[in-house]
Amino acid sequence: MNLILTTTSAAAGSGSMIFMLVLMFAVFYFFIIRPENKKKKKTEEMRSSLSLGDEITTIGGMTGKLVQITEDTVTFETGEDRVRIQIKKWGISTTAKMEAAEAEARTKKKK
């Protein structure tokens, strides 16, 4: 009789262990992986929809206005001295339009 109870409780224990692992993976997916994928998709859409004259901020913190766009690079002017810098598109962090939309969304959330 003890052998049967021990086997049943071990099977129930492994079933709950599998359930906990699946639950942890689901939590990990919905709180870490999914939001990161949404953020990457949004950033890629922003980079593909760049147009001349957009105000951008690079990953390094430089800001300027786009003056030339190619398939994988952009050229922007910084400040009044009109220094032109060419960077890869992946180096663009945000645009002024994107920052304004995020600020508007934050103010709507607060209300």
Side-chain angles (χ1 to χ4, degrees), residues 31-45:
F31 286 109
I32 297 176
I33 296 172
R34 191 166 181 243
E36 187 64 28
N37 286 343
K38 281 185 176 182
K39 184 178 178 182
K40 283 181 185 178
K41 184 177 179 183
K42 184 177 176 183
T43 304
E44 282 301 316
E45 287 175 2

Side-chain angles (χ1 to χ4, degrees), residues 89-101:
K89 278 188 177 180
W90 59 262
I92 298 173
S93 175
T94 60
T95 63
K97 291 183 229 177
M98 185 176 170
E99 289 174 350

Side-chain angles (χ1 to χ4, degrees), residues 31-74:
F31 286 109
I32 297 176
I33 296 172
R34 191 166 181 243
E36 187 64 28
N37 286 343
K38 281 185 176 182
K39 184 178 178 182
K40 283 181 185 178
K41 184 177 179 183
K42 184 177 176 183
T43 304
E44 282 301 316
E45 287 175 2
M46 177 269 301
R47 289 177 182 155
S48 65
S49 67
L50 292 172
S51 59
L52 296 178
D54 283 352
E55 293 285 330
I56 63 162
T57 302
T58 66
I59 292 173
M62 294 188 296
T63 60
K65 183 186 271 187
L66 289 178
V67 293
Q68 183 182 8
I69 302 171
T70 63
E71 188 174 318
D72 63 340
T73 62
V74 294

Side-chain angles (χ1 to χ4, degrees), residues 55 62-65 67 76-85:
E55 293 285 330
M62 294 188 296
T63 60
K65 183 186 271 187
V67 293
F76 66 99
E77 288 182 347
T78 62
E80 295 178 14
D81 55 356
R82 304 181 111 202
V83 173
R84 290 186 175 201
I85 300 173

